[in-house]
Amino acid sequence: MIIRRTTPLPFALPDVGEAELSEIKEVLESGWITTGPKTHLFEREFARYVGAKFAVAVNSCTAAMHLSLEAIGLQAGDFVVTTPYTFAATAEVIRYFNAVPVFVDVERDTLNIDPHGLRETVEDLQRCLQGHKATIPAVARAFDGNRWSSVEGMRDRRRRGALKALIPVHIAGHPCEMDAIAAIAQTHQLAVVEDAAHACSASFRGRPVGSGPSTSVPWAACFSFYATKTLATGEGGMVTTDIEEFADRMRVMSLHGISKDAWKRYTAEGSWHYNVMAAGFKYNMPDILAAVGLAQLRKVDAMRQRREEIARRYNEAFAECPEIERPTVREHVDHAWHLYQLRLNHDALGIGRDEFILNLRQRNIGSSVHFIPLHVHPYYQATYGYEPEDLPVAFREHQREISLPIYSKMTDFDVESVVDAVVDILREFRAKASYAVARR
């Protein structure tokens, strides 16, 4: 029997309750609601959870990536290699420095950055920096593409710098092939800044995401605690690293560039005196958000276990549906299941992605798309002259991707209503496609 929902199922909801309220109450009653003891406790507990030496709490993953790139010394005209299959923030933070993002296509199965393509791109970019002509379209765009930006309204007169870093993105919570990526970074003396916005509670070959690569390279991992994430504080983020110099720099730069322990100025042991060490930012996390984070951290593994159960149910339900492709999970990873990404086989179904989403909505099921590749957005086309087919896998796969609801607050009824809605749509349009073929 098909389950027809009578109320909308949101695409995502945070799993919050009495534990978070209790932590917030404690902070409010303490009288200290901005960055303070709770934030520093959250940093210590999060570092312990992922197995990193240091953690710096901030107000977003965007801030975390910005601080990480600042800590490695990124400058105007430098290059950073990353994926186009990500949210705006990943490449946006590179542009904050007037540095240049260079995109690498993704693996067709995981949608993560392709290590083989990454190696080829890094090698081509290094040759270009020595005066040779680019052979890879994305590298050619970075060097010779249209420098006129209708958004900025000015010619980009940058210095030609160096290749400084790689930013792999653990899309949907499936870890990238970090051993291969770290080996490339080590060979070319590059830093690795992991965009782990989706990957809190994931692991790669038994190592938690956030504990760093197995190879000795400069690194930082950046997490998001946005309302939809696997650990949610509403807004917020965290950077982890094993490099004390990076952690110290990020801590200072996250609060106006003021000398360490600036937050203690208003405590009993604090002093009114402070030193501005650099022109920093306002990226600190307040204790109220850290309190929510501490409560969330205590149940982060249980929430992941529930999402894994939902993913398993989806996989079972869709196993015999040739019109859709289920997510890939490699044997050596533990998926965080931030997203459950279906892909439509248009030839078998005879319906487009947008129409599929409309049909889900008509059945009261929320859904989304992750992501529109960055290289097809107006800014990157205007700035660098990107064409969709420069990165064909990312461009093709995003056109058939749909993200289904997967969060720990979902009931069994919620899960079954999603399954039934998808199966019902497949049944309806399979019949229509078969009828259309029969009439030819």
Side-chain angles (χ1 to χ4, degrees), residues 264-309:
K264 289 185 177 178
R265 284 186 295 141
Y266 300 108
T267 65
E269 67 269 27
S271 167
W272 58 267
H273 188 270
Y274 61 92
N275 293 308
V276 176
M277 311 303 293
F281 314 102
K282 187 69 169 69
Y283 284 162
N284 57 303
M285 174 183 282
D287 270 17
I288 288 181
L289 295 188
V292 177
L294 283 164
Q296 288 273 292
L297 188 59
R298 287 193 288 269
K299 60 186 183 183
V300 69
D301 289 328
M303 292 190 292
R304 179 197 169 276
Q305 183 177 357
R306 175 56 178 162
R307 292 192 305 274
E308 188 172 50
E309 291 172 357

Side-chain angles (χ1 to χ4, degrees), residues 65 69 79-94 100-106 112-114 117-118 121-122 125 138 163 165-170 176 193-195 374 380 386 391:
M65 290 190 291
L69 292 176
F79 297 86
V80 178
V81 181
T82 190
T83 169
Y85 210 96
T86 183
F87 185 58
T90 309
E92 169 189 308
V93 294
I94 301 168
V100 182
V102 184
F103 297 129
V104 175
D105 214 346
V106 295
N112 280 329
I113 195 167
D114 181 356
L118 176 61
T121 298
V122 168
L125 189 51
L163 173 56
L166 310 177
I167 304 183
V169 178
H170 305 298
C176 296
V193 176
E194 297 176 58
D195 182 340
L374 295 182
Y380 293 98
Y386 273 107
L391 301 154

Side-chain angles (χ1 to χ4, degrees), residues 365-384:
I365 303 298
S367 62
S368 192
V369 173
H370 297 87
F371 289 100
I372 302 171
L374 295 182
H375 75 290
V376 303
H377 284 284
Y379 174 79
Y380 293 98
Q381 291 188 330
T383 305
Y384 300 109

Side-chain angles (χ1 to χ4, degrees), residues 172-289:
H174 188 294
C176 296
E177 290 298 324
M178 289 307 300
D179 287 350
I181 291 168
I184 294 167
Q186 186 177 48
T187 298
H188 295 274
Q189 298 182 314
L190 306 174
V192 175
V193 176
E194 297 176 58
D195 182 340
H198 294 181
C200 180
S201 74
S203 63
F204 175 79
R205 299 193 186 279
R207 301 192 305 274
V209 171
S211 62
S214 58
T215 306
S216 179
V217 294
W219 69 275
C222 305
F223 294 86
S224 172
F225 302 145
Y226 182 65
T228 61
K229 295 301 192 295
T230 58
L231 187 159
T233 62
E235 299 285 353
M238 189 79 75
V239 194
T240 61
T241 185
D242 282 348
I243 303 171
E244 187 171 11
E245 179 186 354
F246 284 3
D248 288 346
R249 177 69 177 181
M250 288 187 280
R251 204 176 300 283
V252 167
M253 295 301 287
S254 71
L255 192 57
H256 301 297
I258 295 174
S259 51
K260 287 194 298 183
D261 294 332
W263 68 273
K264 289 185 177 178
R265 284 186 295 141
Y266 300 108
T267 65
E269 67 269 27
S271 167
W272 58 267
H273 188 270
Y274 61 92
N275 293 308
V276 176
M277 311 303 293
F281 314 102
K282 187 69 169 69
Y283 284 162
N284 57 303
M285 174 183 282
D287 270 17
I288 288 181
L289 295 188

Side-chain angles (χ1 to χ4, degrees), residues 323-324 344-352 356 425-426 429-430 433:
E323 300 89 353
I324 54 179
L344 304 184
N345 295 322
H346 290 135
D347 293 341
L349 185 58
I351 182 178
F356 199 103
I425 294 168
L426 295 178
F429 287 92
R430 181 188 303 138

Side-chain angles (χ1 to χ4, degrees), residues 353-373:
R353 189 263 312 281
D354 296 353
E355 192 174 356
F356 199 103
I357 290 173
L358 178 61
N359 274 268
L360 284 172
R361 186 180 301 130
Q362 290 170 348
R363 290 163 173 80
N364 282 315
I365 303 298
S367 62
S368 192
V369 173
H370 297 87
F371 289 100
I372 302 171

